Amino acid sequence: MRVVGVISKDGLPQAASFAQDAGVTFPSAFDGDGELMAELGLNALPFTYFVDAAGALVHTEAGPVSSVEELRGLVAEHLGVQL
């Protein structure tokens, strides 16, 4: 199983800076215009969406994820993956 971040409705430089500051080590895709969010019927930020290997949305975390440790815990809980 892979973890991929999706940056939606944000600028690429801002997203890259955030990822560097947070020490993110997984790859991220860029959805600057929010097309993926619209396709999934999602329209609010910030939300963290967990999609499993089959493409199913398995969890939505409303609000900001405040730390890398919190993100690791959410990934482990909802996707069964250790980051």
Side-chain angles (χ1 to χ4, degrees):
M1 183 176 284
R2 290 195 167 270
V3 174
V4 176
V6 177
I7 296 107
S8 290
K9 296 186 177 182
D10 200 357
L12 192 53
Q14 295 86 347
S17 176
F18 173 80
Q20 182 177 1
D21 290 348
V24 172
T25 59
F26 51 83
S28 294
F30 186 65
D31 178 37
D33 293 330
E35 291 178 31
L36 177 62
M37 287 181 61
E39 194 171 308
L40 293 172
L42 309 169
N43 59 9
L45 293 172
F47 280 87
T48 302
Y49 305 100
F50 295 91
V51 180
D52 68 13
L57 182 63
V58 295
H59 178 71
T60 302
E61 184 70 22
V65 176
S66 60
S67 69
V68 173
E69 288 74 29
E70 181 182 3
L71 180 60
R72 285 183 178 138
L74 290 167
V75 168
E77 179 181 352
H78 299 292
L79 296 174
V81 175
Q82 298 297 317
L83 298 178

